[in-house]
Amino acid sequence: MDQADIYTGLQDIFRDIFDDDEITLTAATSAADIPEWDSFNHVNIIVASEMRFGVKFRAAELDELKNVGDFVQLVQQKLNGG
Amino acid sequence: MLFNSVEFVSWFVPVTLAGFFLLGHWRLERFAIAFLVLMSLFFYAWWRIEYLALLVGSILFNYYVGRLLTEYRSRWLLAFGVAANLGVLGYYKYSLFVLGNINLAFDTSFTMSAVLLPLGISFFTFQQIAYLIDNYGGITKEHSFFNYALFVSFFPQLIAGPIVHHKEILPQFRDPKTFVPNLENLSVGLTIFAIGLFKKVIIADRISVYSTRVFDAAAAGETITFVESWGGAVAFTLQLYFDFSGYSDMAIGLGWLFGIRLPVNFNSPYKAASIIEFWQRWHITLTRFLTAYIYNPIVMSLTRRRMAAGKPLLRRGSMQIGPFVMLLALPSLFTMFVAGVWHGAGFQFIIFGVLHGVYLVINHAWRAIRGKSRPLSPRAALLMRPIGVIITFIAVVVSLVFFRAESVPHALAMLSSMAGLGDIVIPYQYGRYLGSLREGLPAFIELRWLDYYDTEQVMWLLLLMAVVWILPNTQDWVAFHAAKKKDDQLGTQTAGLFAQLIKPVREWSPNHATAILTGLLASLSLLEIVSEAPSEFLYFNF
């Protein structure tokens, strides 16, 4: 799975969770851009990504994600067995 | 050794600083770190040398378990490491309490001699548990022994926090800049330390009289009036803030002297307009630890299960009972229960924690129910904020009665007076000016001299309420200077009304005016500590 696939998958998750088909993710998208993106939805996004990409996140990694770019990178790192 | 003791200020800090920078100057960075570890252990042993072995043992144990965990990532090893830490903490902190309650429940009479709580054990245990968990998770990057030993034992934060995270501290021990003395760091550090010392020895220690006399009287079974009980409870609320935030300021200031940035622990908590906001401003590093290592893992694992089962999840601005209870209320209550237990062995601490859990759940429920309704206009929000601040403050005052009282019955005695269930009394201090009006008072109103209340106390409490509500806090004050230095650690978002009005004072910078002010704070505090025996910090009991 390459970066583009991860972006597409993540975008589906965001559109589903925030119930908004207009959302387009870029590397710089952060919680500041989506007002509904609070700590509850953050957990929902993380867990939905776990199911979709077949990876597992640690609670301590939650706070380290500053934007979508970081998130995609972490998913890719996990998929590559890092 | 206490921060507010003569030996600490007069020779411990100067000698440690000089030794550290001298070794740094000779490019012996590793020795400088080792020297700082040694001095920190000396600082700890000054109190009671017997417990030095415990601290050193704890560091060695966790360091080696941590290394093994990085290599083997074994769940069992992690469980063993965490259990060993909790076991030691439990032995020193809770064994008497547990034994006492077993005796009470089963009518047995096991005895054990009282164990003295090793200073700082709750703090260094938490920091090291986090380290083990992150080693297991594979997110720890630094494995040098002396750096690790310093991360745990660094004397500014060893005994009562801030609870630091390895990832924010360890990289600083590698930074060559840390080992070069820097005038900026020294002046900012001394300023923050002076403010903290002033908060502790001039403010907290002075007003502690007002809380102690009331809580002691309530514990002795005396009837406390409404006015006295509130006077005592509010005095303690202020005392705890000035004591603990003063300690944290001193720790952060000492960190600056060595070029080490410790995380901010208080951000004007009594300016909070809700309980959720309160915990983002009060003992911030504890909130952060509990969120990362207890609350988040629970919520994540529960969310995984619910999502896999296709059950509804928590959504912002919608109130569904199922997910609200399972994914928010129960995890919050449990986390705050742990926070309560962490503070001490006693039912009053458990009640303190659970009460805050209930506050948080009410706060979240209110947000969820209000949810999608139209947000307040900026003007209405400005008007509502003081109401939120006052309600939050009262809720905190009530919870701290449990925190301060020796036992639950004593706390309840205080609270019943605060609820107005005692006699209705006009303080004779004022009543005597009523003159002949006194004759006309109805029978149920009594005129009595109040032993645990005086006008000076009221003046102090009003003054300090104004300080915590209006003045900028320590970080705010030095933030301007630090922000110029692009330092993100000290930048904060809040500034009081005062800060906007009086810009020159707000914008701390190393100039004559701030030098005189800092010198004044420092001299008053130093005069106090050379004339009075140092008093312990409240958080040394945890």
Side-chain angles (χ1 to χ4, degrees):
Chain A
M1 197 180 291
D2 61 14
Q3 280 218 350
D5 295 328
I6 301 175
Y7 269 105
T8 321
L10 210 52
Q11 192 157 293
D12 288 346
I13 290 171
F14 271 69
R15 288 178 174 181
D16 181 37
I17 284 180
F18 296 111
D19 202 13
D20 178 358
D21 287 338
E22 307 291 299
I23 293 177
T24 314
L25 296 182
T26 68
T29 310
S30 72
D33 303 310
I34 305 177
E36 302 260 291
W37 187 352
D38 62 0
S39 56
F40 308 133
N41 275 325
H42 193 57
V43 174
N44 293 346
I45 293 165
I46 299 252
V47 175
S49 322
E50 288 184 336
M51 292 179 69
R52 173 141 189 158
F53 303 118
V55 294
K56 207 162 177 193
F57 292 95
R58 308 210 165 271
E61 290 169 329
L62 257 63
D63 301 334
E64 297 196 357
L65 304 166
K66 299 272 178 283
N67 55 39
V68 169
D70 287 352
F71 198 111
V72 170
Q73 213 168 4
L74 189 64
V75 172
Q76 195 162 38
Q77 211 181 327
K78 284 179 183 289
L79 285 170
N80 296 337
Chain B
M1 210 178 271
L2 292 162
F3 289 174
N4 51 338
S5 66
V6 177
E7 60 269 17
F8 181 78
V9 180
S10 65
W11 58 264
F12 181 82
V13 173
V15 166
T16 312
L17 261 183
F20 178 74
F21 286 128
L22 209 58
L23 289 165
H25 179 72
W26 292 330
R27 314 299 315 265
L28 300 168
E29 276 104 352
R30 295 295 89 202
F31 286 94
I33 294 285
F35 173 71
L36 214 44
V37 172
L38 273 179
M39 292 309 279
S40 296
L41 296 179
F42 176 83
F43 167 86
Y44 193 73
W46 186 268
W47 166 67
R48 245 161 217 274
I49 197 147
E50 305 94 279
Y51 283 144
L52 183 60
L54 180 76
L55 176 63
V56 174
S58 173
I59 292 173
L60 288 170
F61 173 82
N62 284 295
Y63 177 71
Y64 286 106
V65 172
R67 299 224 51 166
L68 283 175
L69 274 171
T70 339
E71 244 171 274
Y72 299 111
R73 298 270 189 105
S74 146
R75 224 189 158 82
W76 289 106
L77 187 60
L78 175 67
F80 165 72
V82 173
N85 278 295
L86 292 179
V88 173
L89 180 65
Y91 170 74
Y92 284 107
K93 206 163 171 173
Y94 307 107
S95 50
L96 271 181
F97 172 69
V98 171
L99 207 64
N101 284 297
I102 289 175
N103 286 341
L104 213 61
F106 301 106
D107 204 21
T108 48
S109 50
F110 296 113
T111 52
M112 67 181 280
S113 50
V115 276
L116 188 64
L117 186 72
L119 277 182
I121 188 168
S122 311
F123 292 88
F124 64 70
T125 302
F126 264 29
Q127 282 184 196
Q128 298 190 102
I129 288 177
Y131 177 77
L132 293 185
I133 295 175
D134 289 347
N135 268 308
Y136 172 73
I139 40 187
T140 316
K141 290 176 187 79
E142 159 79 55
H143 299 286
S144 139
F145 174 72
F146 280 111
N147 284 2
Y148 178 75
L150 187 55
F151 148 69
V152 180
S153 68
F154 188 40
F155 70 89
Q157 44 105 87
L158 170 62
I159 289 171
I163 302 170
V164 295
H165 196 271
H166 54 88
K167 76 172 178 226
E168 70 197 352
I169 297 298
L170 289 173
Q172 300 190 47
F173 297 154
R174 286 240 174 259
D175 187 350
K177 283 204 297 286
T178 303
F179 302 90
V180 184
N182 173 326
L183 263 186
E184 296 268 345
N185 285 348
L186 292 174
S187 64
V188 172
L190 281 176
T191 305
I192 299 178
F193 184 83
I195 298 171
L197 189 63
F198 186 83
K199 278 182 173 175
K200 165 66 182 166
V201 302
I202 303 293
I203 301 177
D205 285 352
R206 186 142 312 174
I207 58 170
S208 72
V209 204
Y210 301 131
S211 60
T212 307
R213 61 182 185 187
V214 178
F215 278 92
D216 284 354
E222 290 183 45
T223 339
I224 305 296
T225 59
F226 181 78
V227 175
E228 290 168 311
S229 59
W230 277 97
V234 170
F236 179 69
T237 305
L238 290 165
Q239 182 201 345
L240 184 66
Y241 169 69
F242 282 104
D243 191 284
F244 194 19
S245 79
Y247 172 86
S248 298
D249 284 349
M250 281 187 258
I252 290 167
L254 290 165
W256 271 85
L257 297 182
F258 291 91
I260 300 293
R261 301 285 186 278
L262 298 175
V264 167
N265 219 10
F266 286 89
N267 183 16
S268 297
Y270 297 148
K271 285 178 194 157
S274 71
I275 287 288
I276 296 175
E277 194 187 338
F278 174 76
W279 282 99
Q280 290 162 349
R281 290 164 169 270
W282 173 271
H283 206 175
I284 298 167
T285 56
L286 177 69
T287 307
R288 193 177 66 158
F289 177 90
L290 294 172
T291 309
Y293 293 96
I294 298 178
Y295 183 81
N296 281 348
I298 294 176
V299 173
M300 265 178 84
S301 98
L302 290 173
T303 305
R304 278 184 194 125
R305 272 190 226 167
R306 287 186 75 90
M307 202 178 272
K311 289 187 190 159
L313 298 171
L314 214 54
R315 293 282 162 92
R316 184 174 150 138
S318 76
M319 181 58 172
Q320 283 178 285
I321 298 294
F324 183 83
V325 170
M326 291 308 296
L327 296 178
L328 201 151
L330 292 179
S332 300
L333 283 171
F334 178 74
T335 307
M336 293 315 289
F337 166 80
V338 173
V341 172
W342 178 82
H343 276 97
F347 288 114
Q348 70 274 31
F349 289 110
I350 296 178
I351 295 180
F352 165 79
V354 173
L355 188 57
H356 270 279
V358 172
Y359 288 166
L360 284 171
V361 170
I362 294 172
N363 198 169
H364 278 294
W366 170 254
R367 275 191 186 181
I369 293 165
R370 261 193 57 81
K372 293 243 158 71
S373 62
R374 217 154 43 88
L376 291 172
S377 70
R379 183 173 295 182
L382 203 66
L383 282 172
M384 289 300 283
R385 193 166 169 90
I387 299 176
V389 171
I390 290 168
I391 295 175
T392 306
F393 186 75
I394 292 173
V396 171
V397 171
V398 168
S399 72
L400 288 178
V401 170
F402 287 100
F403 196 89
R404 169 64 178 78
E406 305 288 327
S407 70
V408 177
H410 295 168
L412 293 177
M414 273 292 284
L415 286 171
S416 77
S417 303
M418 286 166 74
L421 301 179
D423 306 336
I424 299 178
V425 173
I426 295 180
Y428 187 77
Q429 282 95 322
Y430 305 127
R432 60 182 156 167
Y433 301 117
L434 289 175
S436 58
L437 279 175
R438 266 149 56 180
E439 314 304 320
L441 285 177
F444 62 88
I445 299 182
E446 216 185 312
L447 197 61
R448 194 202 302 162
W449 180 268
L450 298 186
D451 289 332
Y452 309 114
Y453 168 88
D454 56 64
T455 310
E456 198 184 307
Q457 171 184 9
V458 177
M459 293 310 195
W460 266 103
L461 298 190
L462 288 177
L463 175 73
L464 294 177
M465 285 312 306
V467 168
V468 297
W469 274 343
I470 301 168
L471 283 193
N473 60 43
T474 314
Q475 295 97 261
D476 290 333
W477 198 43
V478 289
F480 172 74
H481 181 69
K484 240 179 18 186
K485 297 267 140 210
K486 290 218 186 306
D487 188 310
D488 53 356
Q489 295 274 351
L490 279 177
T492 53
Q493 56 293 68
T494 48
L497 178 65
F498 181 84
Q500 284 140 28
L501 286 177
I502 309 175
K503 230 177 156 201
V505 184
R506 172 194 169 197
E507 292 175 354
W508 184 92
S509 66
N511 59 34
H512 291 111
T514 53
I516 291 170
L517 185 57
T518 312
L520 201 66
L521 293 180
S523 340
L524 284 171
S525 319
L526 291 173
L527 277 175
E528 185 78 15
I529 65 172
V530 293
S531 60
E532 296 275 329
S535 69
E536 271 203 1
F537 291 87
L538 293 170
Y539 258 70
F540 280 20
N541 297 319
F542 306 130

